[in-house]
Amino acid sequence: MLKKILSISGRPGLYKLVSYGKNMLLVEGLADARRFPVHSRERVMSLGDISIFTTADDLPLSQVLENIGKKFDNKAIDAKSYTTPDQLHEFMASVLENWDEDRVHNSDIKKIISWYNLLVNAGITDFTTKAEDEDNQEGEEASNEEPKA
């Protein structure tokens, strides 16, 4: 699901990919369901492509969001409870014990909390990418089959 959820640099919020064409994407805001085009010159990042630095390997954002969902029962977080650096670090340590404190900045943690709240408020609580991978594999297998005579 996160592969089709986008963050657009310079625009607040998250957006769902509706369609794409030559040199542009058609997106819909998660908060207001307003559709508009995004041109190729704008920086667009899929949430499915984002990972968080840990002391071992990088962890996909989907796993971090899953951990947050488990901790908060897939309910929105009161972002005002996490304003100081100590509170942000405590929050991050509670959902991801081996996060890299040197490379994950306070602004990154605030963004994760904000994105989580936007996704939950939009009704998206399944952060796994397994279902998408299976759908893609089924589509590829169907296209590789030869027609029967």
mmCIF file of all heavy atoms in Angstrom, residues 51-97:
data_model
loop_
_atom_site.group_PDB
_atom_site.id
_atom_site.type_symbol
_atom_site.label_atom_id
_atom_site.label_comp_id
_atom_site.label_asym_id
_atom_site.label_seq_id
_atom_site.Cartn_x
_atom_site.Cartn_y
_atom_site.Cartn_z
ATOM 1 N N SER A 51 13.511 4.326 3.964
ATOM 2 C CA SER A 51 13.958 3.455 5.051
ATOM 3 C C SER A 51 14.544 4.313 6.167
ATOM 4 O O SER A 51 14.912 5.466 5.961
ATOM 5 C CB SER A 51 14.972 2.429 4.562
ATOM 6 O OG SER A 51 16.094 3.074 4.020
ATOM 7 N N ILE A 52 14.624 3.725 7.349
ATOM 8 C CA ILE A 52 15.115 4.413 8.529
ATOM 9 C C ILE A 52 16.463 3.815 8.911
ATOM 10 O O ILE A 52 16.633 2.596 8.915
ATOM 11 C CB ILE A 52 14.117 4.263 9.710
ATOM 12 C CG1 ILE A 52 12.730 4.761 9.304
ATOM 13 C CG2 ILE A 52 14.620 4.995 10.946
ATOM 14 C CD1 ILE A 52 12.668 6.208 8.907
ATOM 15 N N PHE A 53 17.411 4.687 9.259
ATOM 16 C CA PHE A 53 18.733 4.232 9.670
ATOM 17 C C PHE A 53 18.666 3.530 11.020
ATOM 18 O O PHE A 53 18.039 4.014 11.953
ATOM 19 C CB PHE A 53 19.701 5.410 9.794
ATOM 20 C CG PHE A 53 20.003 6.097 8.497
ATOM 21 C CD1 PHE A 53 19.654 7.422 8.313
ATOM 22 C CD2 PHE A 53 20.634 5.431 7.469
ATOM 23 C CE1 PHE A 53 19.937 8.075 7.128
ATOM 24 C CE2 PHE A 53 20.916 6.069 6.272
ATOM 25 C CZ PHE A 53 20.567 7.400 6.102
ATOM 26 N N THR A 54 19.294 2.372 11.108
ATOM 27 C CA THR A 54 19.446 1.665 12.380
ATOM 28 C C THR A 54 20.927 1.372 12.569
ATOM 29 O O THR A 54 21.730 1.596 11.658
ATOM 30 C CB THR A 54 18.638 0.346 12.411
ATOM 31 O OG1 THR A 54 19.175 -0.552 11.436
ATOM 32 C CG2 THR A 54 17.170 0.583 12.145
ATOM 33 N N THR A 55 21.268 0.842 13.721
ATOM 34 C CA THR A 55 22.667 0.519 13.976
ATOM 35 C C THR A 55 23.114 -0.705 13.178
ATOM 36 O O THR A 55 24.298 -0.905 12.973
ATOM 37 C CB THR A 55 22.907 0.275 15.476
ATOM 38 O OG1 THR A 55 21.990 -0.726 15.931
ATOM 39 C CG2 THR A 55 22.712 1.555 16.268
ATOM 40 N N ALA A 56 22.161 -1.498 12.709
ATOM 41 C CA ALA A 56 22.482 -2.647 11.856
ATOM 42 C C ALA A 56 22.162 -2.254 10.410
ATOM 43 O O ALA A 56 22.811 -1.391 9.855
ATOM 44 C CB ALA A 56 21.673 -3.863 12.300
ATOM 45 N N ASP A 57 21.171 -2.890 9.818
ATOM 46 C CA ASP A 57 20.744 -2.554 8.461
ATOM 47 C C ASP A 57 19.643 -1.515 8.513
ATOM 48 O O ASP A 57 18.968 -1.353 9.526
ATOM 49 C CB ASP A 57 20.216 -3.810 7.753
ATOM 50 C CG ASP A 57 21.322 -4.811 7.462
ATOM 51 O OD1 ASP A 57 22.461 -4.364 7.240
ATOM 52 O OD2 ASP A 57 21.041 -6.015 7.453
ATOM 53 N N ASP A 58 19.430 -0.828 7.393
ATOM 54 C CA ASP A 58 18.324 0.116 7.319
ATOM 55 C C ASP A 58 17.007 -0.653 7.352
ATOM 56 O O ASP A 58 16.907 -1.750 6.801
ATOM 57 C CB ASP A 58 18.401 0.939 6.033
ATOM 58 C CG ASP A 58 19.637 1.829 6.009
ATOM 59 O OD1 ASP A 58 20.271 1.974 7.064
ATOM 60 O OD2 ASP A 58 19.950 2.372 4.939
ATOM 61 N N LEU A 59 16.001 -0.075 7.982
ATOM 62 C CA LEU A 59 14.699 -0.713 8.146
ATOM 63 C C LEU A 59 13.671 0.041 7.308
ATOM 64 O O LEU A 59 13.615 1.266 7.365
ATOM 65 C CB LEU A 59 14.314 -0.693 9.628
ATOM 66 C CG LEU A 59 13.184 -1.601 10.050
ATOM 67 C CD1 LEU A 59 13.595 -3.069 9.915
ATOM 68 C CD2 LEU A 59 12.810 -1.320 11.488
ATOM 69 N N PRO A 60 12.855 -0.666 6.526
ATOM 70 C CA PRO A 60 11.850 0.022 5.720
ATOM 71 C C PRO A 60 10.873 0.800 6.591
ATOM 72 O O PRO A 60 10.546 0.381 7.708
ATOM 73 C CB PRO A 60 11.123 -1.108 4.988
ATOM 74 C CG PRO A 60 11.955 -2.313 5.160
ATOM 75 C CD PRO A 60 12.825 -2.107 6.339
ATOM 76 N N LEU A 61 10.407 1.931 6.085
ATOM 77 C CA LEU A 61 9.453 2.760 6.805
ATOM 78 C C LEU A 61 8.197 1.965 7.144
ATOM 79 O O LEU A 61 7.603 2.170 8.198
ATOM 80 C CB LEU A 61 9.093 3.996 5.985
ATOM 81 C CG LEU A 61 8.086 4.951 6.595
ATOM 82 C CD1 LEU A 61 8.625 5.550 7.885
ATOM 83 C CD2 LEU A 61 7.715 6.041 5.617
ATOM 84 N N SER A 62 7.816 1.041 6.277
ATOM 85 C CA SER A 62 6.614 0.242 6.542
ATOM 86 C C SER A 62 6.734 -0.528 7.852
ATOM 87 O O SER A 62 5.771 -0.624 8.614
ATOM 88 C CB SER A 62 6.351 -0.731 5.385
ATOM 89 O OG SER A 62 7.442 -1.613 5.212
ATOM 90 N N GLN A 63 7.916 -1.049 8.156
ATOM 91 C CA GLN A 63 8.110 -1.785 9.407
ATOM 92 C C GLN A 63 8.029 -0.850 10.607
ATOM 93 O O GLN A 63 7.467 -1.207 11.641
ATOM 94 C CB GLN A 63 9.457 -2.510 9.390
ATOM 95 C CG GLN A 63 9.698 -3.368 10.604
ATOM 96 C CD GLN A 63 8.672 -4.486 10.738
ATOM 97 O OE1 GLN A 63 8.366 -5.171 9.781
ATOM 98 N NE2 GLN A 63 8.118 -4.639 11.925
ATOM 99 N N VAL A 64 8.571 0.344 10.482
ATOM 100 C CA VAL A 64 8.507 1.323 11.569
ATOM 101 C C VAL A 64 7.051 1.718 11.816
ATOM 102 O O VAL A 64 6.602 1.784 12.963
ATOM 103 C CB VAL A 64 9.370 2.559 11.243
ATOM 104 C CG1 VAL A 64 9.229 3.622 12.315
ATOM 105 C CG2 VAL A 64 10.825 2.164 11.074
ATOM 106 N N LEU A 65 6.295 1.944 10.742
ATOM 107 C CA LEU A 65 4.881 2.296 10.886
ATOM 108 C C LEU A 65 4.084 1.145 11.493
ATOM 109 O O LEU A 65 3.171 1.369 12.287
ATOM 110 C CB LEU A 65 4.298 2.705 9.532
ATOM 111 C CG LEU A 65 4.851 4.011 8.950
ATOM 112 C CD1 LEU A 65 4.329 4.219 7.533
ATOM 113 C CD2 LEU A 65 4.533 5.195 9.823
ATOM 114 N N GLU A 66 4.440 -0.090 11.143
ATOM 115 C CA GLU A 66 3.800 -1.262 11.758
ATOM 116 C C GLU A 66 4.056 -1.277 13.271
ATOM 117 O O GLU A 66 3.149 -1.522 14.055
ATOM 118 C CB GLU A 66 4.347 -2.566 11.157
ATOM 119 C CG GLU A 66 3.703 -2.981 9.876
ATOM 120 C CD GLU A 66 2.290 -3.492 10.054
ATOM 121 O OE1 GLU A 66 2.007 -4.205 11.033
ATOM 122 O OE2 GLU A 66 1.464 -3.156 9.196
ATOM 123 N N ASN A 67 5.300 -1.007 13.655
ATOM 124 C CA ASN A 67 5.643 -0.973 15.079
ATOM 125 C C ASN A 67 4.858 0.115 15.808
ATOM 126 O O ASN A 67 4.378 -0.098 16.921
ATOM 127 C CB ASN A 67 7.147 -0.744 15.271
ATOM 128 C CG ASN A 67 7.982 -1.907 14.795
ATOM 129 O OD1 ASN A 67 7.476 -2.976 14.485
ATOM 130 N ND2 ASN A 67 9.286 -1.688 14.708
ATOM 131 N N ILE A 68 4.734 1.277 15.193
ATOM 132 C CA ILE A 68 3.966 2.367 15.799
ATOM 133 C C ILE A 68 2.499 1.963 15.916
ATOM 134 O O ILE A 68 1.863 2.195 16.948
ATOM 135 C CB ILE A 68 4.110 3.666 14.982
ATOM 136 C CG1 ILE A 68 5.557 4.148 14.993
ATOM 137 C CG2 ILE A 68 3.188 4.758 15.530
ATOM 138 C CD1 ILE A 68 5.840 5.287 14.033
ATOM 139 N N GLY A 69 1.972 1.337 14.869
ATOM 140 C CA GLY A 69 0.578 0.885 14.885
ATOM 141 C C GLY A 69 0.314 -0.118 15.990
ATOM 142 O O GLY A 69 -0.726 -0.068 16.655
ATOM 143 N N LYS A 70 1.243 -1.031 16.205
ATOM 144 C CA LYS A 70 1.087 -2.018 17.281
ATOM 145 C C LYS A 70 1.106 -1.338 18.645
ATOM 146 O O LYS A 70 0.321 -1.672 19.522
ATOM 147 C CB LYS A 70 2.192 -3.071 17.210
ATOM 148 C CG LYS A 70 2.034 -4.037 16.070
ATOM 149 C CD LYS A 70 3.204 -4.998 15.998
ATOM 150 C CE LYS A 70 3.124 -5.861 14.750
ATOM 151 N NZ LYS A 70 4.320 -6.684 14.581
ATOM 152 N N LYS A 71 2.006 -0.381 18.801
ATOM 153 C CA LYS A 71 2.127 0.291 20.090
ATOM 154 C C LYS A 71 0.899 1.151 20.406
ATOM 155 O O LYS A 71 0.457 1.215 21.540
ATOM 156 C CB LYS A 71 3.374 1.165 20.115
ATOM 157 C CG LYS A 71 3.535 1.914 21.420
ATOM 158 C CD LYS A 71 4.790 2.724 21.462
ATOM 159 C CE LYS A 71 4.726 3.603 22.675
ATOM 160 N NZ LYS A 71 5.726 3.536 23.585
ATOM 161 N N PHE A 72 0.328 1.796 19.397
ATOM 162 C CA PHE A 72 -0.788 2.726 19.606
ATOM 163 C C PHE A 72 -2.121 2.163 19.113
ATOM 164 O O PHE A 72 -3.080 2.915 18.915
ATOM 165 C CB PHE A 72 -0.495 4.066 18.933
ATOM 166 C CG PHE A 72 0.621 4.820 19.588
ATOM 167 C CD1 PHE A 72 1.912 4.745 19.091
ATOM 168 C CD2 PHE A 72 0.395 5.585 20.712
ATOM 169 C CE1 PHE A 72 2.952 5.431 19.695
ATOM 170 C CE2 PHE A 72 1.423 6.272 21.327
ATOM 171 C CZ PHE A 72 2.707 6.193 20.820
ATOM 172 N N ASP A 73 -2.213 0.856 18.902
ATOM 173 C CA ASP A 73 -3.450 0.187 18.470
ATOM 174 C C ASP A 73 -4.048 0.815 17.214
ATOM 175 O O ASP A 73 -5.265 0.989 17.112
ATOM 176 C CB ASP A 73 -4.491 0.189 19.597
ATOM 177 C CG ASP A 73 -4.032 -0.620 20.792
ATOM 178 O OD1 ASP A 73 -3.383 -1.658 20.584
ATOM 179 O OD2 ASP A 73 -4.318 -0.194 21.936
ATOM 180 N N ASN A 74 -3.205 1.182 16.266
ATOM 181 C CA ASN A 74 -3.626 1.785 15.000
ATOM 182 C C ASN A 74 -4.521 3.005 15.199
ATOM 183 O O ASN A 74 -5.440 3.256 14.432
ATOM 184 C CB ASN A 74 -4.317 0.759 14.105
ATOM 185 C CG ASN A 74 -3.347 -0.251 13.560
ATOM 186 O OD1 ASN A 74 -2.181 0.062 13.321
ATOM 187 N ND2 ASN A 74 -3.795 -1.475 13.378
ATOM 188 N N LYS A 75 -4.241 3.765 16.229
ATOM 189 C CA LYS A 75 -4.950 5.011 16.498
ATOM 190 C C LYS A 75 -3.972 6.167 16.337
ATOM 191 O O LYS A 75 -2.762 6.000 16.473
ATOM 192 C CB LYS A 75 -5.540 5.000 17.901
ATOM 193 C CG LYS A 75 -6.654 3.981 18.054
ATOM 194 C CD LYS A 75 -7.331 4.127 19.391
ATOM 195 C CE LYS A 75 -8.572 3.326 19.539
ATOM 196 N NZ LYS A 75 -8.583 1.956 19.277
ATOM 197 N N ALA A 76 -4.511 7.342 16.055
ATOM 198 C CA ALA A 76 -3.672 8.522 15.865
ATOM 199 C C ALA A 76 -2.909 8.862 17.146
ATOM 200 O O ALA A 76 -3.380 8.616 18.250
ATOM 201 C CB ALA A 76 -4.528 9.703 15.436
ATOM 202 N N ILE A 77 -1.741 9.437 16.958
ATOM 203 C CA ILE A 77 -0.864 9.827 18.062
ATOM 204 C C ILE A 77 -1.063 11.317 18.323
ATOM 205 O O ILE A 77 -1.214 12.106 17.386
ATOM 206 C CB ILE A 77 0.611 9.590 17.685
ATOM 207 C CG1 ILE A 77 0.862 8.134 17.342
ATOM 208 C CG2 ILE A 77 1.540 10.055 18.782
ATOM 209 C CD1 ILE A 77 2.233 7.892 16.725
ATOM 210 N N ASP A 78 -1.030 11.704 19.576
ATOM 211 C CA ASP A 78 -1.059 13.122 19.922
ATOM 212 C C ASP A 78 0.347 13.681 19.692
ATOM 213 O O ASP A 78 1.248 13.507 20.517
ATOM 214 C CB ASP A 78 -1.497 13.317 21.373
ATOM 215 C CG ASP A 78 -1.568 14.776 21.768
ATOM 216 O OD1 ASP A 78 -1.624 15.645 20.869
ATOM 217 O OD2 ASP A 78 -1.566 15.057 22.987
ATOM 218 N N ALA A 79 0.535 14.354 18.560
ATOM 219 C CA ALA A 79 1.857 14.849 18.186
ATOM 220 C C ALA A 79 2.358 15.916 19.150
ATOM 221 O O ALA A 79 3.565 16.121 19.277
ATOM 222 C CB ALA A 79 1.827 15.397 16.769
ATOM 223 N N LYS A 80 1.455 16.590 19.847
ATOM 224 C CA LYS A 80 1.859 17.633 20.790
ATOM 225 C C LYS A 80 2.563 17.044 22.010
ATOM 226 O O LYS A 80 3.234 17.761 22.749
ATOM 227 C CB LYS A 80 0.640 18.442 21.230
ATOM 228 C CG LYS A 80 0.039 19.235 20.099
ATOM 229 C CD LYS A 80 -1.197 19.979 20.535
ATOM 230 C CE LYS A 80 -1.806 20.684 19.328
ATOM 231 N NZ LYS A 80 -3.070 21.314 19.670
ATOM 232 N N SER A 81 2.416 15.751 22.219
ATOM 233 C CA SER A 81 3.097 15.084 23.339
ATOM 234 C C SER A 81 4.579 14.874 23.058
ATOM 235 O O SER A 81 5.335 14.533 23.959
ATOM 236 C CB SER A 81 2.457 13.721 23.610
ATOM 237 O OG SER A 81 1.105 13.859 23.931
ATOM 238 N N TYR A 82 4.977 15.050 21.804
ATOM 239 C CA TYR A 82 6.365 14.792 21.399
ATOM 240 C C TYR A 82 6.929 16.045 20.739
ATOM 241 O O TYR A 82 7.002 16.135 19.512
ATOM 242 C CB TYR A 82 6.431 13.602 20.446
ATOM 243 C CG TYR A 82 5.828 12.353 21.030
ATOM 244 C CD1 TYR A 82 4.560 11.923 20.650
ATOM 245 C CD2 TYR A 82 6.512 11.611 21.980
ATOM 246 C CE1 TYR A 82 4.001 10.782 21.194
ATOM 247 C CE2 TYR A 82 5.960 10.470 22.533
ATOM 248 C CZ TYR A 82 4.706 10.069 22.132
ATOM 249 O OH TYR A 82 4.152 8.941 22.676
ATOM 250 N N THR A 83 7.329 17.007 21.548
ATOM 251 C CA THR A 83 7.843 18.262 21.003
ATOM 252 C C THR A 83 9.318 18.480 21.301
ATOM 253 O O THR A 83 10.032 19.023 20.477
ATOM 254 C CB THR A 83 7.030 19.463 21.535
ATOM 255 O OG1 THR A 83 7.024 19.404 22.959
ATOM 256 C CG2 THR A 83 5.605 19.429 21.016
ATOM 257 N N THR A 84 9.776 18.054 22.450
ATOM 258 C CA THR A 84 11.186 18.267 22.801
ATOM 259 C C THR A 84 12.040 17.145 22.213
ATOM 260 O O THR A 84 11.545 16.047 21.938
ATOM 261 C CB THR A 84 11.379 18.296 24.335
ATOM 262 O OG1 THR A 84 11.105 16.995 24.862
ATOM 263 C CG2 THR A 84 10.471 19.327 24.984
ATOM 264 N N PRO A 85 13.318 17.401 22.020
ATOM 265 C CA PRO A 85 14.204 16.352 21.509
ATOM 266 C C PRO A 85 14.199 15.087 22.366
ATOM 267 O O PRO A 85 14.224 13.975 21.835
ATOM 268 C CB PRO A 85 15.581 17.011 21.506
ATOM 269 C CG PRO A 85 15.296 18.463 21.350
ATOM 270 C CD PRO A 85 14.017 18.702 22.100
ATOM 271 N N ASP A 86 14.145 15.252 23.690
ATOM 272 C CA ASP A 86 14.133 14.081 24.571
ATOM 273 C C ASP A 86 12.870 13.251 24.370
ATOM 274 O O ASP A 86 12.925 12.020 24.340
ATOM 275 C CB ASP A 86 14.237 14.508 26.040
ATOM 276 C CG ASP A 86 15.620 15.040 26.385
ATOM 277 O OD1 ASP A 86 16.586 14.693 25.674
ATOM 278 O OD2 ASP A 86 15.726 15.808 27.364
ATOM 279 N N GLN A 87 11.729 13.915 24.223
ATOM 280 C CA GLN A 87 10.471 13.199 23.999
ATOM 281 C C GLN A 87 10.494 12.478 22.651
ATOM 282 O O GLN A 87 10.019 11.347 22.537
ATOM 283 C CB GLN A 87 9.286 14.168 24.056
ATOM 284 C CG GLN A 87 9.026 14.725 25.433
ATOM 285 C CD GLN A 87 8.021 15.860 25.405
ATOM 286 O OE1 GLN A 87 7.885 16.582 24.413
ATOM 287 N NE2 GLN A 87 7.304 16.027 26.513
ATOM 288 N N LEU A 88 11.038 13.125 21.630
ATOM 289 C CA LEU A 88 11.128 12.505 20.302
ATOM 290 C C LEU A 88 12.039 11.278 20.336
ATOM 291 O O LEU A 88 11.712 10.239 19.762
ATOM 292 C CB LEU A 88 11.623 13.515 19.270
ATOM 293 C CG LEU A 88 10.662 14.651 18.938
ATOM 294 C CD1 LEU A 88 11.360 15.714 18.111
ATOM 295 C CD2 LEU A 88 9.437 14.127 18.216
ATOM 296 N N HIS A 89 13.161 11.394 21.029
ATOM 297 C CA HIS A 89 14.097 10.269 21.129
ATOM 298 C C HIS A 89 13.474 9.122 21.920
ATOM 299 O O HIS A 89 13.648 7.953 21.561
ATOM 300 C CB HIS A 89 15.405 10.714 21.776
ATOM 301 C CG HIS A 89 16.238 11.569 20.882
ATOM 302 N ND1 HIS A 89 17.603 11.494 20.850
ATOM 303 C CD2 HIS A 89 15.904 12.529 19.985
ATOM 304 C CE1 HIS A 89 18.075 12.352 19.965
ATOM 305 N NE2 HIS A 89 17.054 13.000 19.436
ATOM 306 N N GLU A 90 12.733 9.456 22.964
ATOM 307 C CA GLU A 90 12.062 8.431 23.764
ATOM 308 C C GLU A 90 10.998 7.714 22.926
ATOM 309 O O GLU A 90 10.876 6.489 22.980
ATOM 310 C CB GLU A 90 11.412 9.086 24.983
ATOM 311 C CG GLU A 90 10.769 8.110 25.934
ATOM 312 C CD GLU A 90 10.161 8.833 27.132
ATOM 313 O OE1 GLU A 90 10.831 9.716 27.701
ATOM 314 O OE2 GLU A 90 9.010 8.492 27.470
ATOM 315 N N PHE A 91 10.268 8.484 22.130
ATOM 316 C CA PHE A 91 9.261 7.891 21.245
ATOM 317 C C PHE A 91 9.919 6.931 20.258
ATOM 318 O O PHE A 91 9.476 5.796 20.084
ATOM 319 C CB PHE A 91 8.503 8.978 20.485
ATOM 320 C CG PHE A 91 7.688 8.448 19.344
ATOM 321 C CD1 PHE A 91 6.451 7.865 19.573
ATOM 322 C CD2 PHE A 91 8.159 8.501 18.037
ATOM 323 C CE1 PHE A 91 5.693 7.359 18.531
ATOM 324 C CE2 PHE A 91 7.417 7.996 16.989
ATOM 325 C CZ PHE A 91 6.179 7.423 17.238
ATOM 326 N N MET A 92 10.981 7.388 19.611
ATOM 327 C CA MET A 92 11.642 6.565 18.600
ATOM 328 C C MET A 92 12.224 5.301 19.216
ATOM 329 O O MET A 92 12.134 4.222 18.624
ATOM 330 C CB MET A 92 12.730 7.386 17.902
ATOM 331 C CG MET A 92 13.151 6.830 16.590
ATOM 332 S SD MET A 92 11.776 6.811 15.432
ATOM 333 C CE MET A 92 12.538 5.997 14.089
ATOM 334 N N ALA A 93 12.795 5.414 20.398
ATOM 335 C CA ALA A 93 13.356 4.250 21.082
ATOM 336 C C ALA A 93 12.267 3.252 21.463
ATOM 337 O O ALA A 93 12.513 2.041 21.483
ATOM 338 C CB ALA A 93 14.133 4.680 22.316
ATOM 339 N N SER A 94 11.051 3.742 21.713
ATOM 340 C CA SER A 94 9.967 2.843 22.108
ATOM 341 C C SER A 94 9.410 2.052 20.921
ATOM 342 O O SER A 94 8.865 0.974 21.100
ATOM 343 C CB SER A 94 8.843 3.620 22.786
ATOM 344 O OG SER A 94 8.148 4.412 21.855
ATOM 345 N N VAL A 95 9.562 2.573 19.703
ATOM 346 C CA VAL A 95 9.040 1.853 18.527
ATOM 347 C C VAL A 95 10.139 1.169 17.722
ATOM 348 O O VAL A 95 9.860 0.281 16.928
ATOM 349 C CB VAL A 95 8.216 2.778 17.603
ATOM 350 C CG1 VAL A 95 6.981 3.270 18.311
ATOM 351 C CG2 VAL A 95 9.025 3.923 17.065
ATOM 352 N N LEU A 96 11.374 1.591 17.930
ATOM 353 C CA LEU A 96 12.493 1.009 17.188
ATOM 354 C C LEU A 96 13.736 1.082 18.077
ATOM 355 O O LEU A 96 14.361 2.133 18.184
ATOM 356 C CB LEU A 96 12.712 1.777 15.878
ATOM 357 C CG LEU A 96 13.694 1.196 14.891
ATOM 358 C CD1 LEU A 96 13.254 -0.178 14.414
ATOM 359 C CD2 LEU A 96 13.844 2.129 13.704
ATOM 360 N N GLU A 97 14.061 -0.042 18.699
ATOM 361 C CA GLU A 97 15.101 -0.014 19.729
ATOM 362 C C GLU A 97 16.503 0.236 19.200
ATOM 363 O O GLU A 97 17.333 0.807 19.888
ATOM 364 C CB GLU A 97 15.069 -1.298 20.543
ATOM 365 C CG GLU A 97 15.288 -2.549 19.711
ATOM 366 C CD GLU A 97 15.053 -3.808 20.493
ATOM 367 O OE1 GLU A 97 14.118 -3.839 21.299
ATOM 368 O OE2 GLU A 97 15.819 -4.763 20.287
#
